[in-house]
Structures are given as C-alpha cells and as structure tokens.
C-alpha cells in the first residue's frame, strides 16, 4: 500500500514510524515532513492545507491511503476532497471536524445527546458575557470558539481576569476564532486524554494518555502544545473508560451520524475525571501531539491496520492488542517557547541514540544544515520510550534526553509525576 501522511511534527514522525513497522506499507511519503522524518520516509514539500497540491501528489505517486495528522487540513476540508477523488482517508470531514473547530458546536452536540460536560453559554457581546461572568463568579473558564492553536482558553481565577479575557478575545486577540466566546463552568478533577477510533458508526477505544500542557515543572507557567505525555493514564480505570465510552463518545458519535455528518477518524476526547465521573472538556479531531508518540510506540505495526480499517469503514470486529507496557515521551523545546525563541541551533548526539521498539527519537521541529541537525521550531524533539513499568519508560526516555547534545534545549524533568507519585502532588 502507498501511504501519504500529512503534517510535519513529532506526531507525524510517530505515525510514519508505526506505518513502516507494517509490511503492508510499500511506499511512504510525508508532506511536508521534517529533517527527522526524512531519515525514514520521503518528504514532499507540499502544504497539507493546499488541496490541489495534495491531490496532485497523490496522483503522481499513486497514493492509496492518506493519513491526516493535524487539524488545519481537516477544518479546511482536505479529507473531503481526497475522499471525493476516491482515496481512502484517515481523518474526518470538515463537517465532522467542527467538533474540534468550534467549541460552541461541541457543546450543542453534548446538550443534544446528553453527554456530561461543563455548564456553558455563548456570547458575541462583551456586556452580556461580563454580566454572565459576574452572575456565575470565579473560577470560570473563557474560551475563543474557534481554532486558536491551543491558546484560546483562559482558566480565570477571578471575575476581573475573566472579563479581561472576554475583552481581549472579542477585540481580536485570536482573530476570527474569538469573534464568539464560550464561557464555561470550571470543572475540578484530573485530566486525561481518551483516544477512540470511529468509522462513522463503530467505535474502538485506542488507549489513554496524560499530557503536560504547562511549560514549567509542577504544571506551572503558560500553556504549550504539550511538554510530554505518558500512556496509559492510571486515572482512566476500566470503569472510567467504560463510562467515557458509553456516556460521552458513543452518544456524540450517534448524534453526528443522526445529523448526516458521521465522524470518521480518531476522536480525541479530553476528559476531566472527578470521583470516577468523566466529563468532556474538549474534542480534538486528530491524534494529540505528543500523545501520538506514546500511543504509536505502544501499538507499533497494528496502528496502520486500524487506521486503514477506519478509512475503509470496516472497524467492526477490529481490535487492538495491547501489551502490559507503559510509554513516556519527553519534549525538548527551544528556550523561550511558548513565547519567542531562536532557531538554527546545532543539535548533536542524535545519531547515537538507541533506536528500537523501546526507544525512538521523534523529531518535532528540526532541519538539516551543513549535514547537521538544527532546531527549527518551538517543540524540537520528542524522546519516546517504552518499558514494563512507567518508571522504566521514564528512565529510558530521560536517558535519551541526557544523551542529546543541545545546550539551548529545555525540558520538564517531571513528566509523569502524577502517576509516578501514585496520584498525589509532586
Ligand atoms: P481546551 O483547549 O478546551 O482543552 O482547554 C485547555 C485546557 O484548559 C484544558 O486542558 C484544561 O486544563 C483547561 N480547561 C478547559 N475547560 C475547562 C473547564 N471547563 N474546567 C476546568 N478546566 C478547563
Ligand atoms: N497535546 C495536546 C494536543 O495535541 O491537542
């Protein structure tokens, strides 16, 4: 099978690695890819959101399956156009990807199907939004409705902070994404990510993970795209997973089908779990980054078979075989991230890192210059390891981090602290 993966981050490097473990993968192209991905697959300098270019590439290279990594091409309808052209596509239609592209839409779906989530209201006028905030009190959560690269959410500790967030969003801090704001009840509990494959009607749970969104140790400082993750997430006990599937995922999937916009792809449910009750925080229409890195290392070759089954609408009867294993990924980022940062810093030691089914260095943002790897992004490397226990996975991942020769690189040394401490504080 000839496979095209759209995207160029650590997630796509992990997806590419998993696809290559499967003997069904004959030819693999990643567009645009990155310098790390170029070590295992062909990279094509094509913009994943440019439908015409992607279609031309598929035709030239006789692609058969397209796996869409990031959200932007999904929201732009690239999956729709590729499907119309007769390709098998892993990734939802633009209509179904609204579950990620509009927070108010997801809330409407939850209300329509009774999925537990935070109480909410939507506003386009600052005065009405502020009156609502004052009536509800703090803490309270203010969100830009649209895609804001993970930066459109303010968990406000005070009424004044929430009002300030409303003003900033409606004034255009996130462009059109903030023309409407969603104001939500603050939910307490522990967060976890639940990944479920969906082929329109059938669902298959694909594992759990916990991300670390804050830049600083102990979950402090500004939000990032994610500084590390591990899988499985112990807070997702079998009971919580069953509740999340029955009370949230299945009703949402049924409601999307009922509306004539069936969901096909991976449904990433961000959950808040309190006293065994999962509630929906958000939906993403794709794998998480860096959560994909830990899931792919654990799944290996079978990931491709499962994504292919989703793309062809034959998920019924498929199952994932999980080992009794744990995986962790630690992100190395450029100093200054998630604010401004420099690029072009030389990174050494990568050639000597172990590379097997227990250790992988997935590149998030690197380039090649004069034969050397250099940093070329905020998140640059995701050092990913697997072990019989989370402790073993952590030891292996951090040993890789220490072996990277990049004085400018920053990372969190406490990835997995909740699980490693048995659920307590660090
Ligand atoms: P989102 O982009 O919707 O996932 O929000 C980003 C982060 O904000 C989440 O991962 C949570 O940590 C936090 N958050 C969002 N909504 C809520 C809520 N209603 N209650 C508490 N925390 C929230
Ligand atoms: N790591 C969070 C996300 O991919 O949305």
């Amino acid at each position: 099978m000839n496979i095209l993966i759209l995207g160029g981050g650590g997630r796509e490097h992990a997806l590419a690695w998993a696809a290559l473990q499967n003997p069904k993968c004959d030819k693999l192209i990643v567009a645009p890819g990155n310098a790390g991905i170029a070590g295992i697959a062909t990279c094509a300098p094509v913009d994943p959101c440019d439908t015409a270019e992607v279609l031309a590439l598929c035709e030239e290279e006789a692609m058969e399956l397209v796996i869409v990594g990031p959200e932007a091409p999904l929201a732009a309808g690239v999956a729709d156009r590729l499907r119309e052209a007769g390709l098998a596509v892993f990734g939802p239609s633009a209509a179904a990807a609204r579950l990620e592209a509009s927070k108010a839409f997801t809330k409407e779906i939850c209300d329509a199907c009774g999925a537990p989530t935070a109480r909410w209201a939507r506003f386009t006028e600052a005065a009405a939004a502020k009156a609502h905030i004052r009536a509800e009190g703090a803490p309270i959560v203010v969100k830009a409705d649209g895609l804001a690269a993970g930066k459109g959410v303010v968990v406000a500790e005070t009424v004044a902070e929430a009002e300030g967030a409303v003003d900033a969003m409606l004034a255009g801090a996130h462009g059109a994404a903030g023309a409407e704001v969603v104001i939500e009840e603050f939910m307490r509990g522990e967060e976890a990510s639940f990944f479920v494959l969906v082929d329109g009607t059938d669902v298959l749970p694909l594992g759990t993970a916990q991300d670390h969104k804050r830049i600083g140790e102990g979950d402090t400082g500004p939000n990032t795209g994610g500084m590390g993750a591990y899988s499985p997430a112990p807070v997702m006990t079998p009971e919580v997973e069953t509740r999340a599937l029955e009370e949230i995922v299945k009703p949402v999937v049924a409601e999307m089908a009922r509306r004539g916009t069936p969901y096909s792809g991976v449904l990433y449910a961000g959950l808040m779990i309190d006293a065994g009750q999962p509630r929906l925080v958000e939906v993403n229409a794709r794998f998480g980054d860096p959560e994909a890195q830990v899931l792919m290392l654990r799944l290996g070759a079978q990931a491709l078979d499962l994504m292919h089954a989703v793309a062809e609408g034959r998920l019924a009867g498929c199952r994932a075989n999980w080992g009794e294993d744990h995986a962790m990924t630690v992100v190395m980022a450029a100093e200054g991230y998630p604010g401004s940062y420099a690029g072009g810093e030389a990174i050494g030691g990568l050639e000597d890192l172990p590379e097997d089914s227990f250790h992988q260095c997935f590149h998030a943002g690197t380039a090649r210059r004069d034969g050397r790897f250099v940093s070329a992004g905020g998140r640059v490397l995701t050092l990913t390891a697997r072990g019989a226990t989370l402790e073993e996975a952590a030891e292996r991942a951090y040993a890789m981090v220490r072996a990277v020769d990049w004085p400018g690189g920053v990372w969190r040394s406490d990835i997995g602290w909740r699980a490693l401490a048995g659920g307590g504080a660090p």
Side-chain angles (χ1 to χ4, degrees):
M1 186 164 42
N2 296 339
I3 302 164
L4 172 65
I5 296 177
L6 297 181
R11 167 182 48 211
E12 288 75 24
H13 195 173
L15 290 167
W17 173 83
L20 285 165
Q21 305 313 300
N22 192 311
K24 290 189 194 113
C25 178
D26 296 314
K27 176 154 92 171
L28 180 65
I29 300 181
V30 185
N34 64 37
I37 297 173
I40 60 170
T42 304
C43 292
V46 163
D47 173 0
C49 289
D50 186 327
T51 314
E53 273 191 38
V54 174
L55 272 171
L57 177 67
C58 287
E59 210 159 290
E60 264 163 44
E61 301 287 347
M63 291 291 125
E64 296 167 278
L65 172 67
V66 182
I67 297 169
V68 185
E71 62 275 22
L74 297 170
V78 170
D80 303 65
R81 301 293 96 70
L82 294 172
R83 264 191 210 99
E84 283 160 20
L87 286 146
V89 182
F90 180 81
S93 65
R98 280 192 78 200
L99 283 173
E100 172 160 7
S102 166
K103 295 188 189 291
F105 175 75
T106 304
K107 290 294 199 176
E108 280 174 11
I109 296 289
C110 286
D111 286 355
C113 69
T117 186
R119 272 197 327 279
W120 69 290
R122 66 203 295 178
F123 299 94
T124 50
E125 301 293 337
K130 291 179 184 176
H132 177 78
I133 289 168
R134 285 193 293 271
E136 293 284 320
I140 192 159
V141 182
V142 181
K143 300 184 176 182
D145 176 61
L147 292 178
K151 299 190 179 89
V153 175
V154 174
V155 179
E157 301 291 339
T158 63
V159 166
E161 191 187 343
E163 291 187 340
V166 166
D167 283 332
M169 286 180 195
L170 291 178
H174 306 291
E180 180 166 52
V181 296
V182 170
I183 298 181
E184 284 184 18
E185 164 200 2
F186 172 77
M187 293 189 283
R188 284 174 212 286
E190 185 170 346
E191 280 184 86
S193 306
F194 183 32
F195 297 87
V196 183
L197 294 180
V198 184
D199 71 352
T201 44
D202 288 297
V203 301
L204 177 73
L206 200 69
T208 63
Q210 206 163 51
D211 188 11
H212 297 64
K213 287 206 168 85
R214 306 294 193 100
I215 186 75
E217 318 240 312
D219 294 331
T220 55
N223 264 327
T224 69
M227 292 301 292
Y230 60 94
S231 171
V235 66
M236 290 294 290
T237 60
E239 294 74 27
V240 174
E241 186 169 320
T242 301
R243 289 190 71 166
L245 194 64
E246 298 298 328
E247 297 173 17
I248 298 172
V249 177
K250 284 186 182 173
V252 166
V253 167
E255 177 63 17
M256 294 301 288
R258 195 189 65 77
R259 292 181 178 220
T261 51
Y263 191 94
S264 170
V266 60
L267 191 151
Y268 160 172
L271 303 174
M272 186 72 80
I273 298 127
D274 190 23
Q277 165 73 62
R279 290 207 282 167
L280 187 67
V281 178
E282 62 161 350
V283 171
N284 293 312
R286 46 164 179 90
F287 282 112
D289 187 346
E291 294 95 321
Q293 285 85 318
V294 284
L295 292 178
M296 291 304 128
L297 195 62
R298 293 187 63 209
L299 281 164
Q302 56 183 332
L304 178 63
D305 294 320
L306 294 171
M307 289 190 279
H308 190 209
V310 167
E312 295 192 334
R314 46 178 180 79
L315 194 55
C318 288
R319 52 188 297 256
N321 292 311
W322 292 103
E324 291 285 316
D325 61 351
H326 296 256
M328 180 180 288
T329 186
V330 179
V331 174
M332 290 184 85
E335 202 174 342
Y337 174 78
S340 56
Y341 50 82
E345 293 175 355
I347 303 173
L350 300 185
E351 287 80 0
D352 301 328
L353 292 177
E355 239 182 88
D356 51 39
S357 60
F358 294 98
H359 304 83
Q360 288 292 324
C361 171
F362 296 123
H363 291 223
T366 59
R368 276 269 193 189
R369 191 188 290 163
D370 305 328
R372 302 198 61 181
F373 285 110
V374 296
S375 62
R379 293 189 292 172
V380 174
L381 298 171
T382 61
L383 291 312
T384 311
R386 200 161 68 88
T389 60
L390 186 60
E391 285 78 1
E392 190 176 43
E395 272 166 31
R396 289 175 173 162
Y398 278 107
M400 292 168 79
V401 169
R402 287 190 298 272
V404 172
D405 179 13
W406 177 25
V410 295
W411 69 90
R412 277 181 61 165
S413 65
D414 65 345
I415 301 305
W417 65 265
R418 275 196 184 79
L420 292 169

